[in-house]
């Protein structure tokens, strides 16, 4: 189904630095022979790149992929029909509890997550950002969960690229059930009950500016696809860029907001179909500096 999967995984694993020789000190080199110097602090990274996960980093919903580990690769009608609008986290908690009751193991769930293909061109984008790691800080902001995201990134050899992951907590308990919790409570009327990405983004930008000695990021880039990626756009400014996946809900909603002249929407919008589209835009912006 995905003929290039093996090639993609092998290339992604190069992010781990496999094959690089370890650094050794010669046994004949006395410690006192080298002057002791304090390490020179690295300058703060100039750009922040925020990524959604489902259908942005991976090419489908991780929740949908995991359901294929259920008996018959589907859920019973009573469970599918129990969803309440705006309470998807609550629904996924029920699904994971049902799967545990049916004897679905951690290995089965992890395997389904690891098999999700990356989005087109993601490898190219990750390689570009890895090659410019002195300039770009990477963060995940996702309504998936920590277990799925870390399992996939670790399988891809790309976990180390990300400074932080903001998502719903999830871990297996002693009974073998994947326990999912909401990320936080909030008062935003636009967002799902368990997560407002604008609250996360505003808080992170403020905290990182303080940690960086009052130095803000020069530009912020947001790569996403879904309706819940709209709210954080109101936290970005005119020098920042939104990358909505072309023909996905985020793209359509941003177009509608631009046409309506929505107050507070200042960010530039550059749709993407492949990670190469994001690379091309980042290259152009770097050349303008």
């Amino acid at each position: 189904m995905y003929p290039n999967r093996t090639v993609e995984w092998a290339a992604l694993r190069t992010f781990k630095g496999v094959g690089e020789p370890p650094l050794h000190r010669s046994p004949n080199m006395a410690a006192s022979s080298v002057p002791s110097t304090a390490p020179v602090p690295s300058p703060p990274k100039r750009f922040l790149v925020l990524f959604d996960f489902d259908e942005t980093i991976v090419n489908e919903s991780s929740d949908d992929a995991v359901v294929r580990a259920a008996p018959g690769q589907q859920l019973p009608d009573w469970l599918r029909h129990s969803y309440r609008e705006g309470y998807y986290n609550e629904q996924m908690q029920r699904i994971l509890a049902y799967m545990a009751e049916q004897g679905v193991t951690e290995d089965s769930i992890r395997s389904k997550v690891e098999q999700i293909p990356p989005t087109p061109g993601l490898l190219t984008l990750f390689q570009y950002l890895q090659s410019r790691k002195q300039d770009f800080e990477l963060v995940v902001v996702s309504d998936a969960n920590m277990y799925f995201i870390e399992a996939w990134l670790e399988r891809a050899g790309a976990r180390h690229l990300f400074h932080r992951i903001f998502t719903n907590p999830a871990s297996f308990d002693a009974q073998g059930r994947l326990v999912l919790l909401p990320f936080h409570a909030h008062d935003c009327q636009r967002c799902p009950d368990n997560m407002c990405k604008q609250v996360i983004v505003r808080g992170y930008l403020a905290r990182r500016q303080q940690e960086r000695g009052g130095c803000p990021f020069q530009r912020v880039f947001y790569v996403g696809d879904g309706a819940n990626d709209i709210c954080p756009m109101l936290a970005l400014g005119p020098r920042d860029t939104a990358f909505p996946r072309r023909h996905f809900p985020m793209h359509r909603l941003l177009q509608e907001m631009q046409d309506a002249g929505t107050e507070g929407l200042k960010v530039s919008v550059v749709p993407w179909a492949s990670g190469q589209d994001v690379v091309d835009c980042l290259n152009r912006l770097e050349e303008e500096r």
Side-chain angles (χ1 to χ4, degrees):
M1 184 176 179
Y2 300 103
N4 296 323
R5 176 84 56 79
T6 302
V7 175
E8 286 178 325
W9 286 134
L12 277 170
R13 283 196 293 273
T14 64
F15 291 129
K16 291 181 176 178
V18 174
E20 294 180 1
L23 296 176
H24 296 288
R25 171 178 286 187
S26 168
N28 297 322
M29 184 182 295
S32 60
S33 66
V34 180
S36 176
T37 57
V40 178
S42 301
K45 298 183 179 185
R46 299 184 301 126
F47 307 122
L48 174 64
V49 187
L50 301 160
F51 282 89
D52 179 41
F53 183 69
D54 288 339
E55 299 187 288
T56 295
I57 290 178
V58 294
N59 206 28
E60 67 173 311
S61 163
S62 54
D63 291 341
D64 291 345
V66 164
V67 165
R68 291 197 289 273
Q73 300 188 18
Q74 60 184 359
L75 301 174
D77 289 344
W78 67 264
L79 184 52
R80 289 189 296 106
H81 296 155
S82 66
Y83 170 65
R84 293 192 299 153
E85 185 71 31
Y87 293 86
Y88 186 75
N89 183 270
E90 175 188 278
Q91 170 75 351
M92 198 61 197
Q93 292 176 39
R94 286 192 290 268
I95 290 172
L96 293 172
Y98 165 80
M99 293 177 70
E101 291 167 0
Q102 298 301 308
V104 178
T105 65
E106 177 178 357
D107 287 346
S108 296
I109 289 175
R110 189 178 186 96
S111 175
K112 294 301 182 185
V113 172
E114 291 178 343
Q115 292 172 23
I116 306 173
T119 50
L122 178 86
L123 170 59
T124 301
L125 176 56
F126 275 5
Q127 288 175 329
Y128 174 87
L129 294 169
Q130 167 74 2
S131 70
R132 291 160 176 78
K133 59 184 178 182
Q134 73 279 3
D135 284 331
F136 291 93
E137 179 168 303
L138 277 55
V139 170
V140 172
V141 184
S142 168
D143 198 12
N145 68 72
M146 189 65 78
Y147 184 85
F148 291 176
I149 294 172
E150 289 203 315
W152 193 93
L153 290 176
E154 287 167 5
R155 173 68 175 84
R159 175 61 183 89
H160 71 284
L161 295 178
F162 291 88
H163 185 74
R164 284 289 303 271
I165 297 174
F166 293 97
T167 189
N168 300 297
S171 60
F172 280 86
D173 64 15
Q175 287 71 47
R177 180 169 70 101
L178 183 55
V179 179
L180 175 66
L181 299 174
F183 179 77
H184 64 185
H186 62 85
D187 298 322
C188 178
Q189 299 301 309
R190 291 181 291 264
C191 292
D193 183 66
N194 63 294
M195 176 175 287
C196 173
K197 293 187 178 183
Q198 182 181 170
V199 170
I200 295 171
V201 171
R202 287 191 185 277
Y204 187 73
L205 289 174
R207 184 164 59 255
R208 289 298 285 136
Q209 181 171 339
Q210 182 180 27
E211 293 169 349
R212 289 154 51 97
C215 178
F217 291 101
Q218 293 179 18
R219 293 178 186 270
V220 178
F221 305 99
Y222 191 108
V223 189
D225 71 278
N228 66 346
D229 294 314
I230 289 296
C231 196
M233 297 305 94
L234 301 177
L236 305 184
R239 287 178 54 81
D240 303 328
T241 304
F243 292 105
R245 191 171 183 184
R246 191 179 295 277
H247 304 314
F248 278 66
M250 181 185 181
H251 183 206
R252 174 179 56 80
L253 292 169
L254 281 174
Q255 286 180 314
E256 292 175 0
M257 292 171 70
Q258 287 179 316
D259 292 344
T262 300
E263 184 178 355
L265 184 65
K266 304 172 184 176
V267 67
S268 299
V269 177
V270 179
W272 64 280
S274 164
Q276 184 64 53
D277 299 329
V278 181
V279 171
D280 292 343
C281 181
L282 294 178
N283 266 326
R284 287 194 300 271
L285 292 173
E286 278 207 302
E287 291 169 1
E288 293 173 3
R289 63 179 179 178

